[in-house]
Amino acid sequence: MERHQSTAPHGGTARSWALRVGALVLGAAGSALVLGWWSPGGISGSTVSPMTCLLSAAACMWAAARGPRKARRSWVLFALVLVLYAGGDVLWLVFGGAAGTPPILSLADALYLAALVPAVLGLALFPVARVRRGTLGPLIFDAAVLGAAALLASYVLVFDEVIRRTESHLDETLFLVYPITDVLLTCLVVLLLLRSVGDPRPDLILIGLFFAAYTVADNGYALLTVRGEDSIHTVVDLIYAAAPLLLGFAAYDAVRRAERSRVMQRHLRGLAASLLPDLGAIAALGLVVTLQRPDGTATWLLAAVTLVLTGLRQLLLT
């Protein structure tokens, strides 16, 4: 008994030091990235993105080993996402400046596309809250309305120009599949947080910010590329390099805190949260009216879907 009591504090001290070192490493990596990126002639984000991906992947594996048991599969999948991103980034870093489009870059695209699978699975398996009877249907309708509104806004602001300027259907698909997936995953994270009550979940907030950051970066990269502009040393370049650190800090928080309990609710709590899907739909439709040409068939189709889903949601609520 005495030996057990004497070793427990030592284990707790080692764990505390490991957490401090992890936070210091992640923070130092982020600070070095920002300072290096802003300095004259400094490093580009694409140069350090493989390192931030691998550093955060290690943090995710640490969370898989030492974090809450229910989330361990998700952290392994998130680590796989970052490793695939790092592999694609290395290939682009080495071969991206070559004349033409080397075939090896097709492998980089394949790695990026493959990363979408563990990203979706990791979030789907991530334990957020205990599901009560009757809560899944409203969540699906809210996600459908908010997701349709976000896709409509993205189409008006970004996708329409990308489609018009892109001649290859393959390039068009590659430009759009990433931001579409990121938008839907971000909307799902937001709704999971708003529709559940209980202990705070900084880890889930950071995961949502991770997907939101890639949404902005992927949209920006698509626009810059179809306009013939370089993304190096732009905000897009910085986001690509810094976004993996958000997932690393989420893993750090998961290890630092014990398992947390939240419960899914049938209705969104609070006036702002309950109106969020409707406000998103109204904002997206407002963009259609003010920015889009009236002959955009895809735009009006998305607008019609958004209106129908919003109406069905209201019927479900009443």
Side-chain angles (χ1 to χ4, degrees):
M1 177 65 68
E2 292 180 358
R3 176 181 297 180
H4 175 74
Q5 290 176 345
S6 62
T7 56
H10 177 74
T13 302
R15 181 187 179 90
S16 175
W17 274 105
L19 287 169
R20 293 176 184 177
V21 170
L24 180 62
V25 170
L26 290 172
S31 300
L33 168 64
V34 173
L35 292 175
W37 185 83
W38 279 108
S39 62
I43 58 175
S44 65
S46 59
T47 305
V48 299
S49 59
M51 291 182 283
T52 56
C53 283
L54 293 177
L55 179 64
S56 296
C60 290
M61 290 304 298
W62 183 35
R66 303 297 299 272
R69 292 182 178 275
K70 294 180 180 180
R72 290 182 178 180
R73 288 181 299 178
S74 293
W75 287 120
V76 172
L77 290 168
F78 288 146
L80 178 58
V81 171
L82 294 171
V83 169
L84 291 172
Y85 279 173
D89 289 345
V90 168
L91 292 177
W92 274 102
L93 185 63
V94 175
F95 300 100
T101 305
I104 193 67
L105 294 184
S106 298
L107 177 59
D109 288 327
L111 292 176
Y112 291 139
L113 287 173
L116 295 178
V117 177
V120 173
L121 289 177
L123 186 57
L125 296 174
F126 197 76
V128 179
R130 182 163 52 88
V131 179
R132 287 179 172 176
R133 184 178 180 180
T135 59
L136 188 58
L139 175 64
I140 292 174
F141 266 100
D142 286 349
V145 172
L146 192 58
L151 288 178
L152 177 59
S154 297
Y155 188 91
V156 172
L157 295 172
V158 178
F159 299 168
D160 181 60
E161 181 176 348
V162 171
I163 293 172
R164 285 188 286 106
R165 289 175 175 262
T166 306
E167 298 180 358
S168 169
H169 291 295
L170 177 60
D171 290 340
E172 180 181 310
T173 301
L174 291 175
F175 282 141
L176 298 183
V177 66
Y178 304 115
I180 288 175
T181 305
D182 295 334
V183 163
L184 295 178
L185 292 177
T186 303
C187 290
L188 180 59
V189 171
V190 170
L191 288 173
L192 288 173
L193 285 168
L194 292 178
R195 194 172 275 281
S196 60
V197 295
D199 297 333
R201 292 299 301 269
D203 56 340
L204 188 59
I205 294 174
L206 288 167
I207 291 173
L209 290 175
F210 168 78
F211 288 116
Y214 270 101
T215 300
V216 175
D218 288 336
N219 278 296
Y221 176 79
L223 273 181
L224 291 175
T225 302
V226 298
R227 291 173 180 175
E229 301 176 16
D230 194 355
S231 63
I232 299 299
H233 278 287
T234 65
V235 175
V236 171
D237 185 42
L238 179 62
I239 292 175
Y240 272 135
L245 294 175
L246 293 170
L247 204 52
F249 278 113
Y252 167 80
D253 181 77
V255 176
R256 188 169 65 93
R257 298 172 183 264
E259 294 195 29
R260 287 152 287 189
S261 175
R262 290 181 73 88
V263 179
M264 294 294 294
Q265 301 294 301
R266 180 173 175 80
H267 300 290
L268 291 169
R269 301 172 66 88
L271 179 61
S274 61
L275 292 177
L276 178 63
D278 298 323
L279 292 176
I282 293 173
L285 292 171
L287 286 175
V288 172
V289 174
T290 57
L291 299 180
Q292 184 64 22
R293 296 174 302 171
D295 58 348
T297 305
T299 304
W300 295 113
L301 180 60
L302 278 172
V305 170
T306 303
L307 279 174
V308 170
L309 289 174
T310 304
L312 291 175
R313 177 178 179 271
Q314 290 301 319
L315 286 175
L316 178 67
L317 291 176
T318 56

